[in-house]
Amino acid sequence: MRIRMKRLNVCAAAALCLTLVAGCGGSGTDSADGRITLEFLSLAWQKDSVDANKALVRQWNATHPDVQVKYVQGSWDNIHDQLLTSFEGGEAPDIIHDDAADLTDFANGGYLADLTKYLPKTLREDIPQASWDTTAHGEGTYGVPFLQEPRVLIANTELLEQAQVRIPTAEHPWTWDEFESVTKKLTHDENNDGKNDRYGVAWSMKEPVTQSVNLSLSTGGKIFRKDAEGKNEIRYDNAESAVAQLINRQVNKDRTAPRNGLGMSGSDTLPGFYAGRYAMLPLNFSYRQQVQQQAPEGFDWTVLPMPTGKGGLTQGTAPQTLSVSQDSKHKQAAVDFIAFLNQAEHQVQLARGDWLLPTSTTALKDPSLNTDKYGWKTGVSIAAHLSPSPVLGVRGYAEWKDKIATPAYQEYYNGAFGIAELRKRLAGDGTRILDRYQR
């Protein structure tokens, strides 16, 4: 999930573009003495994460004199377009850090190598099949899923205690109905002036599509399905729309969520959270780092699982991935380096540096991740329930998201029209877009 994009600067994006298009010498360059040099494009951006990646590159290079890895610093900003330019120009790096949402188009375009015959059995077995499903296209596997993050509730502990509500756990989460009731108890108009001074929850919906789609799995929905002919189609029935309808009620009827939150990013909601204006925030798991670093001294917060419906704790995810360019001259060597990065202890280093979760089942058992501090244990408990986002593998999704779903969800959450019109736009207008990609 690319929540990091908004935190990046123009210089980093420009540097990536120059590196990919003009600065690279092509994939898998060889020296006169036969030594291989592989280029590794990393999108790590936090200091701890960058340091961890560079340290692992140095460790590899120290023990593999014949296969050296050159670290190339990239940026999440516009990565799809920048990679496409590098692929078409024959200048793509050998090893590519991206996320699973990008792989469908690149695999379909023939730009990524099918890793099936290169992956070691130990790596295959240590990452669950649900994670591998996020990088599958047809019969091939086009990336190694290595970092993932669920959506969680970050909550003000003091306000929860004052309201005397049941504190949910991964073993006994709130239902969506219970969550709706809790937000009413947490919402207050202190002055009785008709304006709420505190809201039970703030939904940051500046980018509404991914979370709306992924959370629909918790109520048994799956917006993108295959028809009898194996083509993608869109359905938006009660199971798919249950969470969206709840958000609409909270904003427009119950007033337990502020309308102005709909135009905010996750980071935008944090000052109001620290000030006690919002009791809970549904945010991606990595936002815990910002809270830990920015919260006022003495501010007590906790991490809770998202509520559940028919689908339980299930929610969609598109993990970060490591892929190999189809043009790389040394695919096995590139996969060997990827396997090195994905050794369990190394995945733990990378996950902690980014405040994310590893996909490795061995790594998820690491004691440093199974601690209540900063909600790490809650995230680990949710990890087993993560499922491929319904958008993965859907050609035309990007156009549907930009042209149809984003404006439709934004208007619906703001109360501009009802659920019938939302269904018409998402499924009716949206299916026509998908059909163009499947002729």
Side-chain angles (χ1 to χ4, degrees):
M1 308 293 187
R2 294 185 205 148
I3 64 169
R4 299 162 185 76
M5 288 183 187
K6 56 184 71 66
R7 306 173 207 168
L8 301 166
N9 56 54
V10 175
C11 292
L16 173 61
C17 201
L18 288 172
T19 299
L20 290 181
V21 179
C24 294
S27 295
T29 56
D30 300 343
S31 63
D33 61 2
R35 187 179 68 177
I36 298 169
T37 299
L38 302 173
E39 290 174 342
F40 167 38
L41 171 66
S42 171
L43 302 183
W45 63 276
Q46 301 192 81
K47 183 180 184 303
D48 288 348
S49 181
V50 172
D51 290 347
N53 275 274
K54 288 184 175 180
L56 289 172
V57 169
R58 288 194 298 270
Q59 185 177 336
W60 168 275
N61 287 340
T63 55
H64 296 78
D66 295 332
V67 181
Q68 295 289 281
V69 172
K70 177 184 177 182
Y71 181 93
V72 178
Q73 184 61 62
S75 158
W76 284 102
D77 190 39
N78 297 321
I79 184 61
H80 182 93
D81 292 341
Q82 293 162 359
L83 279 173
L84 185 59
T85 299
S86 72
F87 285 134
E88 292 179 343
E91 298 288 346
D94 299 272
I95 301 149
I96 299 164
H97 179 188
D98 201 354
D99 72 34
D102 255 355
L103 301 192
T104 298
D105 285 345
F106 289 148
N108 189 72
Y111 298 123
L112 297 178
D114 178 3
L115 306 183
T116 303
K117 65 182 180 181
Y118 302 107
L119 292 168
K121 183 179 179 181
T122 52
L123 179 59
R124 267 287 190 188
E125 294 177 345
D126 195 36
I127 295 176
Q129 186 59 45
S131 293
W132 286 115
D133 289 344
T134 66
T135 62
H137 179 70
E139 298 298 318
T141 298
Y142 292 89
V144 175
F146 74 114
L147 294 178
Q148 58 188 342
E149 66 174 327
R151 203 157 184 86
V152 294
L153 290 171
I154 298 181
N156 183 317
T157 304
E158 181 180 355
L159 296 180
L160 293 178
E161 292 174 349
Q162 288 176 1
Q164 297 182 327
V165 299
R166 181 180 73 84
I167 306 301
T169 63
E171 293 72 29
H172 301 287
W174 286 329
T175 64
W176 282 107
D177 288 342
E178 191 174 3
F179 168 73
E180 201 165 1
S181 176
V182 166
T183 59
K184 292 176 182 178
K185 292 180 180 179
L186 291 167
T187 300
H188 282 285
D189 174 5
E190 303 288 351
N191 307 325
N192 293 316
D193 61 357
K195 297 180 180 180
N196 289 332
D197 302 286
R198 183 174 77 232
Y199 293 90
V201 64
W203 289 96
S204 50
M205 287 289 176
K206 188 174 183 179
E207 296 179 6
V209 180
T210 300
Q211 57 183 308
S212 299
V213 172
N214 287 340
L215 289 177
S216 71
L217 294 180
S218 71
T219 53
K222 190 174 183 182
I223 295 174
F224 295 93
R225 301 173 185 268
K226 300 283 188 182
D227 65 14
E229 298 178 356
K231 293 183 177 181
N232 291 309
E233 64 176 3
I234 300 172
R235 297 182 191 173
Y236 206 67
D237 299 325
N238 290 334
E240 286 78 17
S241 66
V243 175
Q245 289 181 273
L246 179 146
I247 296 170
N248 181 285
R249 284 194 302 273
Q250 291 186 318
V251 172
N252 299 296
K253 180 183 176 182
D254 300 332
R255 310 294 187 191
T256 56
R259 185 182 299 274
N260 64 358
L262 298 175
M264 295 183 183
S265 67
S267 297
D268 294 335
T269 61
L270 292 178
F273 178 62
Y274 305 143
R277 184 163 173 77
Y278 318 130
M280 295 185 290
L281 300 176
L283 293 172
N284 281 2
F285 195 57
S286 58
Y287 273 97
R288 298 168 304 126
Q289 183 188 34
Q290 287 190 57
V291 178
Q292 185 269 329
Q293 293 177 342
Q294 299 173 2
E297 185 175 354
F299 184 83
D300 194 6
W301 57 283
T302 189
V303 177
L304 310 174
M306 290 298 294
T308 64
K310 182 180 178 181
L313 286 171
T314 304
Q315 56 178 279
T317 185
Q320 293 184 29
T321 58
L322 294 167
S323 300
V324 177
S325 169
Q326 178 63 36
D327 288 341
S328 176
K329 301 173 185 175
H330 304 287
K331 295 181 179 64
Q332 185 62 66
V335 173
D336 290 345
F337 174 70
I338 290 175
F340 170 78
L341 287 183
N342 282 278
Q343 291 176 17
E345 65 271 25
H346 297 161
Q347 265 205 21
V348 172
Q349 290 176 252
L350 298 173
R352 288 186 61 83
D354 257 335
W355 288 65
L356 300 175
L357 293 172
T359 57
S360 158
T361 54
T362 304
L364 283 167
K365 297 175 184 177
D366 190 274
S368 69
L369 302 181
N370 286 272
T371 173
D372 290 328
K373 191 173 183 179
Y374 305 138
W376 280 106
K377 191 173 182 179
T378 297
V380 169
S381 298
I382 297 171
H385 303 274
L386 296 179
S387 182
S389 173
V391 311
L392 298 178
V394 177
R395 296 196 65 206
Y397 165 72
E399 184 177 347
W400 175 82
K401 176 184 176 182
D402 293 342
K403 293 183 178 180
I404 303 293
T406 295
Y409 272 120
Q410 288 174 337
E411 291 179 60
Y412 173 70
Y413 288 140
N414 273 285
F417 50 73
I419 190 63
E421 178 66 16
L422 181 64
R423 288 194 174 106
K424 174 181 176 295
R425 295 194 186 188
L426 295 180
D429 297 344
T431 296
R432 284 191 285 275
I433 287 179
L434 297 194
D435 286 346
R436 282 197 285 104
Y437 286 82
Q438 299 180 109
R439 289 171 182 167

